[in-house]
Amino acid sequence: MTSRSPSPKSPCPNCSKAKVSSVYWPELKQILENDPGRFRDLDLECLCYERMSIFDDEHVRDPAMGHYTHGAHVLPCGHIFGEKCLVRMWEYANEADGYFACPACRQALGYHPHCYHDLNSLPIPQSLREIGQFPYFRDNVLVSNKCGDCVMMDEVRNLSSMAQIHLPPMDLKNGEYLGVSINSPDTMWAPSTDPYKADPIIRTMPMSGALKELCEVSRKSLSGNREGVWRSVDFRELVYCLHVFRVSGFPREYT
């Protein structure tokens, strides 16, 4: 009895799928949406020929570059590069003429029109749910008027003002005030009375009632990216906290 090789139409179920190596997000997105199991097959190579990490537990931080890793990051044009390489390219551009273009398509990466802050890359989604939260790619990605940092600071100021309304009066010392911070794994956005440094946190307080509900609405709106726009900031894993702050430089002896 002769054995036959599996027919091309009936592939061997034990054979592993080919690796997914596309470094153009619209193409990669379609592959992953059609088969979310292909996340396990991602094998993306940066222009430096180093493999880019995809998942949080794969990222290795480079001590020489602060908190940066070689995680896969998407540019507004859709091309994917390692974060460390992008940081080096941006640094080189800033030292030269400040002009930065995608190394693959040479599309100039400009700025957000209302705040004039640069467009930055975003980490590649790690699940089908995160793909749904990622900016939409049409002919051109839709850029938000303000960058994510400015959006966050607006949100922090609004929620901090709501804290004054929705919380009962508190016995605060001179120079102290209530405020809400928004935190991601790498960044904290918090109110400040000094444009050059953060106001110190005196204590953290439990959040409840209407203020907690407002913060949850804010979190869902920001992390869900309902507008599908490019904000240049990763809004995943946001945590909202209520604090008592002290005005920067306020003398301790008067508190």
Side-chain angles (χ1 to χ4, degrees):
M1 181 177 179
T2 58
S3 61
R4 296 183 179 180
S5 300
S7 165
K9 295 183 179 180
S10 304
C12 172
N14 297 323
C15 295
S16 60
K17 295 180 180 179
K19 294 294 184 181
V20 178
S21 58
S22 174
V23 288
Y24 183 54
W25 174 245
E27 180 179 288
L28 183 58
K29 173 178 179 285
Q30 186 173 7
I31 294 172
L32 296 174
E33 285 181 329
N34 290 338
D35 183 1
R38 301 309 302 274
F39 271 102
R40 296 187 298 271
D41 301 320
L42 291 178
D43 188 20
L44 309 184
E45 186 179 90
C46 184
L47 79 170
C48 67
Y49 302 112
E50 183 179 337
R51 183 184 179 276
M52 294 179 276
S53 54
I54 308 298
F55 302 102
D56 289 337
D57 58 0
E58 294 181 321
H59 297 327
V60 178
R61 301 193 183 279
D62 187 339
M65 297 190 66
H67 66 276
Y68 296 112
T69 72
H70 211 50
H73 271 233
V74 186
L75 289 175
C77 58
H79 291 104
I80 302 170
F81 301 94
E83 183 183 27
K84 289 193 297 185
C85 285
L86 286 174
V87 170
R88 292 189 183 103
M89 286 186 280
W90 259 302
E91 289 176 347
Y92 178 79
N94 288 332
E95 291 173 0
D97 54 7
Y99 176 85
F100 182 79
C102 170
C105 66
R106 303 310 300 165
Q107 177 178 321
L109 300 178
Y111 50 82
H112 294 271
H114 284 188
C115 65
Y116 293 100
H117 291 143
D118 292 338
L119 295 177
N120 290 324
S121 60
L122 290 173
I124 192 172
Q126 301 178 23
S127 66
L128 192 61
R129 180 181 65 84
E130 290 185 4
I131 288 179
Q133 300 169 350
F134 209 67
Y136 312 138
F137 277 78
R138 305 175 182 87
D139 293 333
N140 290 294
V141 69
L142 183 62
V143 174
S144 65
N145 288 327
K146 290 184 177 181
C147 72
D149 286 324
C150 289
V151 169
M152 279 302 203
M153 289 309 300
D154 287 346
E155 200 73 6
V156 159
R157 284 188 282 266
N158 290 336
L159 290 171
S160 295
S161 65
M162 290 295 102
Q164 318 298 327
I165 297 172
H166 291 287
L167 293 177
M170 297 182 59
D171 184 19
L172 298 177
K173 298 179 180 179
N174 289 336
E176 293 182 349
Y177 66 93
L178 280 174
V180 173
S181 72
I182 305 178
N183 307 268
S184 74
D186 295 321
T187 309
M188 181 178 81
W189 296 272
S192 180
T193 55
D194 189 320
Y196 301 105
K197 61 181 178 180
D199 288 343
I201 295 173
I202 304 304
R203 59 185 180 275
T204 300
M205 305 179 61
M207 191 182 298
S208 60
L211 181 62
K212 185 176 182 179
E213 293 176 6
L214 287 171
C215 289
E216 181 61 16
V217 170
S218 168
R219 186 192 65 78
K220 288 181 178 179
S221 176
L222 291 172
S223 61
N225 195 1
R226 292 173 185 169
E227 302 87 359
V229 294
W230 193 275
R231 298 194 186 105
S232 299
V233 169
D234 182 10
F235 283 169
R236 294 176 298 177
E237 301 179 46
L238 298 178
V239 177
Y240 290 64
C241 299
L242 177 65
H243 309 283
V244 174
F245 293 88
R246 179 188 291 120
V247 174
S248 294
F250 200 89
R252 285 180 176 269
E253 57 267 27
Y254 294 113
T255 61

